[in-house]
Amino acid sequence: MKTIRLFPLLAAAALLAAGCEKAETPNEGEGEGEVTVAVESITVDESIKDGIYLEEGKTLDLSELVTVLPEDATDKTVTYTIADEKVATVSAAGLITAVAAGNTNITIAAGEQSVKLTLTVTAEEVAITKIEFNQQSMTFASGSEPVDLLLYITVTPAENTDKLTFTSSNESVATVDKDGQLTLVSAGETTITVSAESNTAVTATASVTVTGDYNRTGWTMTCSEEKLPELSGRNNSLTALLDGDPNTVFCLTRPGKSTGGVSHSGVDTETYEINFTIDMKTVQKVNYFRIDHLSNKTADLGTRMAGFTKILGSTDGTNFDKVLAENLDFSEHSRVLENTSTENIKVTETECQYVKFVMIGIKCYDPGVKDGVDTNNGNSAQMKELYLGYEPAE
């Protein structure tokens, strides 16, 4: 009969049991059965991942926007640190309070993990409640330096954080940029409107008059003469007086003369009328005109204009019931050879679209004549350019 010895098997079992009991306590010094789980990551809400933006005095609770993983981490305590507490402060619970406008960083930490976010604090928004122009109407000379409209505006409250927007109703007269710089383009009138960016109902307007020569682009002219004389080198036409081209000249055959294929030899030199009309395409204030002469050569002196019998204005092109001037004589200035243009010749201030220049008889031509003696030496009257404009009364 065999005898089975169990002692070695029992000893092995005892050793195995002892080994299993030791694996259930991984960290020496910790309570029986406790396991430490480290923090692996910190995530923040999409709303703040690209930075935190707060207005002065506002608060933000970060505790609801921060997630510590894994969920079963042993110690999920979160700490918050702000680099510059002059910009913002943060409580132990994660409540940010914006203090003053500026930029800083906030560090969010848990365990061995941390994230850093930018923090921007902006000044408290203060809207504009009232805008006033110090002058309801302003006048500037065309070609002057840009005008700073901010010097003419009072905004309430003065400590606002709002912005202003500017518009011009007629940019052919003046334009205005986002900073309120008014650029004077040409003579005319426009309305400037200034509004609060946050509330366009808060607004103010002022009229701006730009003085000087009007922009003649698009202007047209008609003439009572059915045919204009064809003179060598003059490129005579109804556009020559308005085109700014030194190589074109507006020419007329004078009463009692014949030139360029147009004869007025048999007309009454005292009563024969020639007129031409400028259409400015819009109603504008006019109180002066200016003519450029052909040249300052002695031979061309006799081609200069000496005056107009009438200058009439109209708003519809039919009823010329506005009188800008009558029996206007500027021969004293035109007969000075060195004067290549007339001065700005003043006329009665008139609002009109059409201006008609009327010449009756030979007295309107040849400024070389003086004291009523008109020798009518030239055969033609020639003008290079004509300008209309407005300038304030002195």
Side-chain angles (χ1 to χ4, degrees), residues 176-189:
V176 59
D177 67 14
K178 62 182 179 63
D179 298 318
Q181 295 297 304
L182 184 72
T183 300
L184 309 168
V185 180
S186 67
E189 294 181 338

Side-chain angles (χ1 to χ4, degrees), residues 24-322:
E24 291 174 357
T25 311
N27 293 308
E28 187 175 345
E30 293 184 352
E32 186 176 347
E34 291 183 1
V35 177
T36 299
V37 179
V39 173
E40 296 177 0
S41 66
I42 300 173
T43 60
V44 297
D45 189 80
E46 284 288 322
S47 63
I48 63 170
K49 72 180 185 65
D50 293 326
I52 299 171
Y53 298 86
L54 288 177
E55 189 179 302
E56 284 180 354
K58 302 296 184 180
T59 61
L60 178 67
D61 187 356
L62 286 180
S63 64
E64 299 179 355
L65 303 174
V66 175
T67 302
V68 177
L69 296 175
E71 290 288 345
D72 61 346
T74 301
D75 184 1
K76 297 172 66 176
T77 302
V78 179
T79 61
Y80 306 90
T81 308
I82 283 182
D84 187 353
E85 293 191 342
K86 292 180 181 179
V87 175
T89 61
V90 63
S91 70
L95 183 67
I96 297 177
T97 301
V99 177
N103 299 292
T104 186
N105 296 311
I106 182 167
T107 302
I108 304 168
E112 299 297 321
Q113 305 299 317
S114 66
V115 294
K116 183 182 288 187
L117 300 174
T118 60
L119 172 58
T120 302
V121 176
T122 57
E124 181 182 0
E125 291 187 2
V126 179
I128 292 172
T129 59
K130 187 177 182 181
I131 305 171
E132 290 181 295
F133 271 100
N134 302 334
Q135 298 175 225
Q136 291 303 305
S137 60
M138 297 172 279
T139 299
F140 306 103
S142 176
S144 301
E145 291 297 315
V147 177
D148 186 356
L149 288 178
L150 295 177
L151 300 176
Y152 297 84
I153 296 170
T154 300
V155 176
T156 305
E159 65 276 10
N160 72 84
T161 59
D162 211 340
K163 292 182 179 180
L164 295 172
T165 61
F166 299 84
T167 59
S168 170
S169 65
N170 189 349
E171 293 193 340
S172 66
V173 172
T175 61
V176 59
D177 67 14
K178 62 182 179 63
D179 298 318
Q181 295 297 304
L182 184 72
T183 300
L184 309 168
V185 180
S186 67
E189 294 181 338
T190 186
T191 298
I192 301 299
T193 301
V194 186
S195 304
E197 187 176 72
S198 64
N199 183 1
T200 55
V202 179
T203 187
T205 61
S207 63
V208 170
T209 299
V210 180
T211 63
D213 296 346
Y214 286 120
N215 185 339
R216 300 178 298 167
T217 302
W219 288 13
T220 57
M221 190 178 92
T222 58
C223 183
S224 60
E225 296 286 271
E226 293 183 2
K227 183 180 179 182
L228 300 178
E230 298 178 8
L231 303 179
S232 176
R234 299 295 187 258
N235 299 308
N236 189 14
S237 73
L238 291 177
T239 62
L241 203 55
L242 305 171
D243 61 10
D245 186 343
N247 298 310
T248 63
V249 183
F250 176 58
C251 308
L252 295 168
T253 299
R254 293 164 57 168
K257 299 293 182 175
S258 178
T259 188
V262 177
S263 177
H264 292 326
S265 298
V267 305
D268 187 335
T269 58
E270 296 300 321
T271 61
Y272 187 77
E273 178 179 330
I274 300 175
N275 66 70
F276 61 88
T277 301
I278 306 294
D279 179 0
M280 298 186 291
K281 302 303 180 182
T282 188
V283 175
Q284 305 185 101
K285 288 181 182 178
V286 174
N287 68 358
Y288 76 82
F289 72 92
R290 185 177 70 256
I291 294 172
D292 284 352
H293 299 308
L294 177 58
S295 76
N296 58 359
K297 297 177 181 179
T298 302
D300 293 330
L301 181 63
T303 68
R304 295 181 178 181
M305 295 297 300
F308 293 108
T309 307
K310 293 180 182 179
I311 302 177
L312 305 174
S314 171
T315 56
D316 59 12
T318 301
N319 300 305
F320 285 85
D321 52 0
K322 303 174 185 293

